[in-house]
């Protein structure tokens, strides 16, 4: 069946996309640097060690670690990124090969350990959760900090907003993103506006909402949605979606530590199928920064979550068959989104394609295309396009036709190249 | 258009089942099985004892004695048994990957919908959660449609589009079939409003589980119903577990029939089809005169929450088999049949055999049915009347589908 083979292929892609261990050649080192595991040179390595675990102001941090653009002389950017970077990759931080739910479990455990005011609650989290993201946490940290709630999303999130307002760091789980809508009022009207409406007196910055999202092959209307666009539209929130286990751990820890309410979407299809080398111990990735996961010169492909894997597959296909060189960007943070990385990339390539599972109309892709059209108008070789879910409710039997799959992206890339 | 109605009626009557004829909605107290036993119809009424009803703020309530007939008892047995067989077959189909997605089985709880239907008619409305396969059958749907819908084929009751969780039957006032927990409860109150507005002597049964009982929207709508005296019965099918969470750990007060506070309540042994029948008859009379009533059905599900849940990590196998032994709805009716000699063992086996055959036939036919055509992806998003969307964008620029 088409859907199942897609899932398997996706799993394989997720597995193949690994950071690598220490490498000798400079090219390989640059790749490794991009994956954030190994600094580009020995000199930088000693600088990193000197800076300790916290990302310090060295010349090779930031830009070098996260995108391959350090090589292309993005000195101004790394200056700019210094202000934001909180990557804590030290000298060759040990990694282990784990899947998405284990990476999330790891991040949650670190969060609970470091701050006694951290709480984890939601439906069924105490036995480990339906996706096992919270396994073992009750046993380690006690039932006052890891507990179940009744089945009432609005009540759960409202309760969390209140707890955050008095200094706790609640990490709320909404069991499926499809069920987040009863809590929509609490998120958009309470959590997002708390700081603003009280003139800075109160806030619920400690709030993090984690929720599984995205297509899973057979989820149907209510187990497959990607509602990130609804929340991108709400100033005061941050919206994050990782594309793999490594990004998940780094971004989740950043989200928990960020002093703003964050909604953290986890692509549920990857919980078990996506495996990556994830740094052990403390590890964060900065919010608000996109990652260039594949360098290219002809067209920029932007996606997040599961779709990054699909874009990479499409990029490989057109590289092999048509010699088209695609630059693939993992947006990582949807709000605030990294305009500069994408604008720089599109200025280089001249073409933009954004892809997401959520329906096309009013999706996050619309915002990205609109902004980049303005920023990069004179650099564009073809109109920027979006390859997204169809404008229908998420169907059950027609999921393969609804989703923006690899072949549609390839087709669209070719159309842009031939414009 | 009339032709599609005719076609659907025709399709529905093609596969067998206890419900071939669609009687016009009329009287209360009708049973919905029309097959008689071999010994000939026997309509002599006799009484069956049931457990006493526990009540909340109700001055008059039914006595724990239920009148029934041999015909009705045999019809109960048949309907309970075919529902059970269908759910077991759905289990096997799911494991064989014929059914994909999520599948929530109702076995153990059949007495609730069978007993309910014995006291109401199709002018009364039912709306329930995603555990709706048997409720659909109870409302007069046929098994082929259920199985085809589970398999995602175009002859399914929702044309293969809704799947397990979204089964509807408009002609008989069955409003589904709802995936989001608790979202259907306020909808039921809205349906009851229509019944009162049109001065019908009918009521709505809005059904939810013990997990959903904590959803705020339920309380909001109950207040509305009580304020305006709407003829709605809040049926809480308490199977004691909200997915994996036991009722005591999710609800401060697991006495769901009392949760209405200012709304009267009644608690019923939901695994005794006769108790359900009596209580529902009382409920219908009550709410049509007085406004809402909360009815807790004390029941149990043998399967886990869904097919992804083994159902054994939060309860012991002994508990499940104990309930099966002591409270199984089918076994109780069988015991009554045997004790009162309403049918011979051979006759009972014959009924069972017919039910199994019905299930097998439905499965075979459903497996042969094609999936809905792809262009239905954009069907029914909007109304087809003029000035609605005519085209819907597909997954990339340039693709447009006609919306119809």
């Amino acid at each position: 069946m088409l859907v199942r083979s897609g899932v398997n292929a996706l799993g394989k892609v997720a597995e193949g996309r690994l950071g690598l261990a220490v490498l000798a050649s400079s090219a390989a080192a640059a790749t490794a640097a991009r994956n954030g595991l190994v600094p580009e040179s020995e000199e930088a390595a000693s600088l990193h060690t000197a800076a300790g675990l916290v990302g310090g102001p060295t010349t090779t941090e930031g830009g070098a670690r996260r995108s391959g653009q350090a090589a292309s002389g993005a000195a101004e950017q790394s200056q700019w990124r210094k202000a934001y970077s909180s990557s804590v990759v030290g000298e060759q931080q040990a990694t282990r090969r784990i899947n998405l739910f284990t990476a999330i479990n790891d991040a949650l455990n670190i969060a609970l350990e470091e701050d006694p005011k951290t709480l984890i609650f939601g439906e069924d989290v105490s036995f480990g959760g339906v996706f096992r993201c919270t396994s073992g946490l009750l046993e380690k940290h006690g039932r006052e900090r890891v507990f179940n709630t009744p089945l009432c999303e609005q009540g759960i999130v409202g309760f969390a907003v209140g707890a955050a307002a008095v200094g706790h760091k609640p990490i709320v789980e909404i069991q499926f993103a499809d069920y987040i809508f009863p809590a929509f009022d609490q998120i958009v009207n309470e959590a997002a506006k708390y700081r603003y409406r009280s003139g800075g007196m109160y806030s619920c910055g400690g709030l993090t909402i984690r929720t599984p999202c995205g297509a899973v092959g057979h989820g149907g209307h209510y187990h497959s949605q990607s509602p990130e666009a609804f929340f991108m539209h709400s100033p005061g929130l941050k919206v994050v979606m990782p594309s793999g286990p490594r990004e998940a751990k780094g971004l989740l820890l950043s989200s928990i530590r960020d002093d703003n309410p964050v909604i953290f979407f986890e692509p549920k299809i990857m919980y078990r199928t996506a495996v990556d080398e994830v740094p052990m111990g403390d590890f964060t990735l900065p919010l608000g920064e996109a990652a260039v996961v594949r360098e290219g010169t002809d067209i920029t492909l932007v996606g997040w979550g599961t779709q990054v894997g699909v874009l990479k597959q499409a990029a490989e296909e057109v590289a092999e068959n048509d010699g088209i060189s695609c630059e693939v960007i993992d947006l990582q943070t949807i709000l605030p989104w990294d305009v500069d990385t994408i604008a720089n990339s599109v200025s280089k390539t001249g073409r933009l394609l954004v892809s997401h599972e959520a329906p096309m109309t009013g999706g996050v892709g619309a915002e990205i295309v609109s902004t980049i059209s303005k920023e990069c108008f004179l650099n564009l070789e073809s109109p920027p396009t979006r390859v997204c879910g169809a404008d229908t409710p998420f169907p059950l039997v027609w999921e393969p036709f609804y989703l923006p799959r690899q072949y549609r992206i390839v087709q669209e890339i070719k159309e842009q190249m031939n414009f | 258009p009339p032709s599609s109605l005719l076609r659907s009626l025709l399709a529905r009557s093609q596969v067998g089942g206890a419900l071939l004829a669609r009687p016009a909605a009329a009287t209360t107290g009708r049973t919905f099985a029309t097959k008689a036993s071999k010994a000939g119809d026997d309509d002599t009424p006799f009484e069956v004892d049931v457990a006493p009803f526990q009540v909340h703020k109700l001055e008059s309530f039914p006595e724990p004695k239920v009148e029934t007939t041999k015909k009705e008892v045999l019809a109960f047995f048949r309907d309970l048994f075919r529902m059970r067989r269908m759910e077991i077959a759905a289990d096997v189909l799911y494991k064989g990957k014929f059914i994909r997605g999520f599948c929530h089985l109702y076995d153990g709880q059949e007495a609730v919908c069978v007993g309910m239907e014995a006291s109401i008619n199709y002018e009364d409305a039912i709306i329930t959660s995603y555990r709706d396969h048997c409720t659909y059958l109870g409302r007069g749907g046929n098994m082929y449609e259920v199985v085809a819908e589970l398999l995602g084929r175009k002859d399914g009751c929702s044309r293969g589009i809704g799947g397990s969780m979204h089964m509807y039957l408009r002609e008989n006032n069955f409003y589904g079939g709802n995936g989001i927990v608790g979202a259907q409860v306020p909808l039921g109150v809205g349906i009851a409003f229509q019944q009162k507005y049109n001065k019908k002597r009918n009521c709505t049964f809005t059904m939810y589980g013990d997990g959903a009982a904590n959803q705020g929207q339920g309380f909001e709508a109950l207040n509305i119903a009580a304020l305006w005296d709407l003829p709605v019965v809040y049926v809480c099918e308490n199977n004691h577990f909200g997915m994996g969470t036991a009722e005591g750990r999710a609800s401060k007060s697991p006495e769901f029939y009392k949760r209405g506070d200012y709304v009267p309540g009644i608690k019923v042994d939901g695994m005794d089809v006769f108790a359900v029948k009596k209580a529902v008859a009382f409920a219908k009379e009550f709410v049509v005169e007085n406004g809402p009533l909360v009815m807790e059905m004390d029941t149990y599900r043998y399967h886990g929450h869904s097919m992804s849940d083994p159902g054994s990590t939060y309860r012991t196998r002994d508990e499940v088999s104990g309930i099966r032994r002591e409270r199984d709805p089918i076994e109780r009716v069988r015991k009554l049949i045997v004790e009162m000699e309403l049918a011979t063992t051979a006759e009972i086996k014959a009924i069972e055999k017919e039910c199994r055959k019905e299930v097998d036939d439905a499965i075979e036919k459903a497996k042969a049915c094609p999936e809905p055509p792809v262009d239905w992806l954009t069907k029914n998003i909007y109304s087809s009347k003029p000035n609605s969307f005519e085209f819907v964008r597909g997954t990339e620029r340039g693709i447009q589908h006609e919306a119809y």
Side-chain angles (χ1 to χ4, degrees):
Chain A
M1 275 219 54
L2 280 171
V3 170
R4 253 177 283 164
S5 64
V7 168
N8 290 335
L10 205 58
K12 288 203 185 70
V13 164
E15 276 189 69
R17 196 176 53 77
L18 295 182
L20 303 168
V22 186
L23 295 161
S25 73
S26 57
T31 317
R34 191 184 320 130
N35 286 323
L37 294 179
V38 175
E40 269 189 286
S41 64
E42 272 187 284
E43 182 192 270
S46 62
L47 280 173
H48 274 281
T49 323
L53 276 180
V54 180
T58 64
T59 52
T60 56
E61 52 83 76
R65 258 204 300 286
R66 274 183 35 304
S67 77
Q69 285 172 351
S72 54
E76 314 93 62
Q77 280 140 44
S78 63
Q79 275 298 112
W80 173 83
R81 285 212 173 78
K82 259 182 237 171
Y84 287 83
S85 173
S86 61
S87 292
V88 286
V89 177
E91 176 198 60
Q92 292 177 35
Q93 192 169 358
T95 66
R96 56 178 180 143
R97 205 179 145 80
I98 53 176
N99 62 21
L100 182 65
F101 76 76
T102 313
I104 289 172
N105 189 275
D106 193 358
L108 293 174
N109 189 43
I110 293 172
L112 284 166
E113 273 170 3
E114 73 182 359
D115 187 346
K117 289 207 171 144
T118 311
L119 308 167
I120 292 184
F121 53 88
E123 292 155 27
D124 301 304
V125 299
S126 61
F127 79 83
V130 288
F131 296 110
R132 294 201 254 155
C133 294
T134 49
S135 350
L137 297 178
L138 168 64
E139 287 78 8
K140 276 195 210 140
H141 302 281
R143 62 178 67 248
E144 264 124 47
R145 300 180 64 199
V146 180
F147 52 88
N148 283 348
T149 58
L151 213 173
C152 45
E153 287 76 17
Q154 184 171 21
I156 294 168
V157 174
F159 167 83
V161 171
V166 290
H168 277 290
K169 285 166 111 171
I171 305 169
V172 181
E173 179 180 299
I174 298 291
Q175 200 160 81
F176 282 83
D178 315 61
Y179 312 155
I180 204 168
F181 298 108
F184 197 75
D185 174 72
Q186 284 292 337
I187 295 170
V188 166
N189 276 335
E190 305 299 322
K193 300 177 168 71
Y194 218 123
R195 193 190 296 271
Y196 190 85
R197 72 187 185 201
S198 64
M201 200 187 316
Y202 286 111
S203 81
C204 53
L207 175 65
T208 307
I209 299 175
R210 294 181 35 245
T211 181
C213 70
V216 76
H218 50 259
H221 308 110
Y222 300 119
H223 295 80
S224 319
Q225 291 178 46
S226 301
E228 68 269 9
F230 293 103
F231 300 99
M232 188 198 207
H233 196 56
S234 188
L237 295 177
K238 289 197 175 180
V239 180
V240 180
M241 192 186 303
S243 59
R246 181 179 167 273
E247 288 73 20
K249 179 174 175 180
L251 292 170
L252 182 55
L253 275 173
S254 292
S255 301
I256 293 168
R257 291 171 185 166
D258 191 297
D259 193 24
N260 291 293
V262 180
I263 306 188
F264 189 83
F265 288 104
E266 300 166 358
K268 63 174 90 70
I269 199 175
M270 294 204 279
Y271 275 132
R272 281 184 297 165
T273 58
V275 181
D276 202 351
E277 294 286 341
V278 179
M280 294 169 70
D282 199 2
F283 167 65
T284 59
L285 286 170
L287 298 187
E289 288 188 34
V292 177
V293 294
R294 183 192 169 108
E295 287 213 315
T297 53
D298 293 329
I299 180 171
T300 302
L301 311 178
V302 179
W304 46 92
T306 317
Q307 203 62 11
V308 175
V310 181
L311 290 176
K312 289 179 77 175
Q313 280 178 298
E316 267 161 39
E317 183 181 324
V318 296
E320 256 182 59
N321 298 346
D322 308 278
I324 302 174
S325 159
C326 301
E327 180 142 300
V328 178
I329 300 184
D330 175 5
L331 194 60
Q332 292 187 337
T333 304
I334 289 165
L335 179 72
W337 63 281
D338 190 350
V339 183
D340 285 326
T341 302
I342 298 179
N344 289 333
S345 172
V346 175
S347 303
K348 180 176 76 170
T349 63
R351 296 178 182 84
L352 173 67
L353 186 154
V354 186
S355 184
H356 55 70
E357 280 180 18
M360 182 179 294
T361 297
V364 175
E367 158 71 24
I368 295 175
V369 164
S370 164
T371 304
I372 298 295
S373 298
K374 177 180 184 289
E375 297 290 323
C376 304
F377 184 71
L378 295 172
N379 299 59
L380 286 173
E381 298 290 337
S382 63
T385 54
R386 301 170 285 165
V387 181
C388 307
D391 278 339
T392 73
F394 199 106
L396 181 59
V397 288
W398 302 299
E399 180 169 324
F401 297 100
Y402 164 92
L403 286 175
R405 293 188 305 156
Q406 181 179 331
Y407 75 93
R408 290 206 200 274
I409 294 170
V410 165
Q411 194 177 348
E412 199 54 36
I413 292 173
K414 290 184 191 165
E415 278 203 30
Q416 282 218 34
M417 297 302 299
N418 293 332
F419 181 74
Chain B
S3 60
S4 70
L5 179 62
L6 259 161
R7 251 183 285 132
S8 74
L9 281 174
L10 211 56
R12 290 205 162 97
S13 64
Q14 266 162 11
V15 179
L19 260 175
L20 284 174
R22 288 290 168 80
T27 57
T28 55
R30 52 171 285 288
T31 61
F32 64 93
T34 55
K35 276 237 171 108
S37 74
K38 274 212 182 117
D41 288 10
D42 188 343
D43 290 307
T44 317
F46 58 93
E47 272 195 345
V48 174
D49 286 326
V50 298
F53 301 103
Q54 294 171 56
V55 295
H56 169 71
K57 296 201 174 156
L58 265 179
E59 271 140 27
S60 71
F61 52 91
E63 274 192 30
K65 284 184 181 305
V66 186
E67 199 179 272
T68 183
T69 65
K70 168 176 160 184
K71 183 167 145 192
E72 183 172 65
V73 175
L74 291 174
F76 280 167
F77 182 82
R78 174 183 293 275
D79 287 310
L80 291 169
F81 193 82
R82 63 194 273 267
M83 287 179 181
R84 175 70 58 90
R85 292 311 322 157
M86 185 182 74
E87 294 296 77
I88 305 286
D91 179 318
V92 174
L93 284 171
Y94 190 90
K95 287 175 176 152
K97 295 211 197 272
F98 287 97
I99 299 176
R100 307 217 64 217
F102 297 84
C103 188
H104 308 82
L105 298 178
Y106 199 72
D107 54 318
Q109 298 182 214
E110 302 92 347
V112 172
C113 56
V114 173
M116 264 175 71
E117 294 292 347
S119 294
I120 62 178
N121 60 47
Y122 293 146
E123 287 297 302
D124 301 304
I126 296 184
I127 185 168
T128 187
S129 68
Y130 43 80
R131 208 178 292 281
D132 60 344
H133 310 162
C134 298
T135 323
Y136 178 85
L137 277 188
R139 282 268 93 181
N142 79 46
M143 206 176 279
Y144 169 54
E145 283 166 343
V146 176
V147 182
E149 187 62 35
L150 290 175
L151 266 52
R153 307 300 166 98
K154 75 179 219 285
D155 280 348
C157 48
S158 304
R159 303 282 155 261
I161 293 158
S164 155
M165 290 195 277
H166 305 105
M167 300 192 175
Y168 302 87
L169 188 53
R170 187 174 186 177
E171 300 94 81
N172 293 349
N173 285 304
F174 178 49
Y175 296 88
N178 294 282
I180 299 293
V181 171
Q184 74 277 6
V185 177
L187 268 66
V189 176
I191 298 166
F193 175 83
Q194 173 268 127
Q195 288 170 327
K196 180 157 183 171
Y197 192 89
N198 291 326
K199 299 196 174 32
K200 297 185 191 169
R201 306 289 297 170
N202 294 104
C203 66
T204 302
F205 293 85
T206 188
M207 302 174 76
Y208 56 100
D210 45 297
N214 294 313
Q215 279 278 326
Q217 47 195 328
F219 294 98
E220 290 176 14
L222 185 61
N223 178 51
I224 291 174
L227 209 51
W228 300 337
D229 292 324
L230 299 179
V232 61
V233 183
Y234 263 53
V235 179
C236 178
E237 289 184 279
N238 181 11
N239 57 26
H240 308 283
F241 292 94
M243 206 156 75
T245 304
E247 59 183 343
R249 293 194 308 128
S251 302
K252 176 68 178 173
S253 165
E255 293 184 298
F256 297 99
Y257 68 108
K258 290 187 184 168
R259 288 279 206 94
D261 182 20
Y262 42 83
V263 173
I266 183 168
K267 180 168 171 173
V268 185
D269 179 357
M271 298 184 90
D272 180 351
V273 65
F274 301 102
V276 173
K277 172 189 164 183
K278 186 83 185 258
V280 168
F282 164 78
K284 176 169 171 174
E285 258 184 64
F286 182 88
V287 302
V288 166
E289 293 300 325
N290 301 309
L293 178 73
V294 179
M295 178 181 289
E296 180 183 342
M297 303 277 195
D298 184 350
T299 181
Y300 201 86
R301 53 165 165 80
Y302 299 141
H303 271 87
H305 162 74
S306 72
M307 290 303 301
S308 332
D309 171 20
S312 52
T313 54
Y314 47 84
R315 52 187 192 177
T316 59
R317 288 192 197 282
D318 285 339
E319 177 186 311
V320 184
S321 51
I323 304 257
R324 228 189 247 276
R325 207 172 38 242
E326 257 131 69
R327 296 179 64 199
D328 184 71
I330 300 177
E331 293 314 306
R332 282 162 117 164
V333 177
R334 190 200 299 271
K335 214 166 108 182
L336 181 71
I337 293 176
V338 164
E339 271 172 16
M340 303 217 38
E341 291 175 6
L342 302 175
T344 64
T345 324
E347 283 166 348
I348 296 177
K349 283 219 188 304
I351 295 177
E352 290 182 3
K353 191 160 165 213
E354 281 165 24
C355 293
R356 280 182 223 267
K357 180 163 192 311
E358 184 190 353
V359 173
D360 292 337
D361 285 347
I363 294 177
E364 210 182 291
K365 189 157 184 234
K367 280 183 179 172
C369 176
E371 279 179 0
V374 177
D375 61 306
W376 286 8
L377 176 68
T378 49
K379 191 175 150 93
N380 288 324
I381 301 175
Y382 288 95
S383 160
S384 55
K385 297 198 173 74
N387 298 323
S388 291
F389 273 51
E390 278 182 27
F391 288 98
V392 155
R393 282 193 281 185
T395 63
E396 73 259 24
R397 162 185 68 178
I399 291 200
Q400 277 195 330
H401 304 284
E402 201 192 328
Y404 60 116

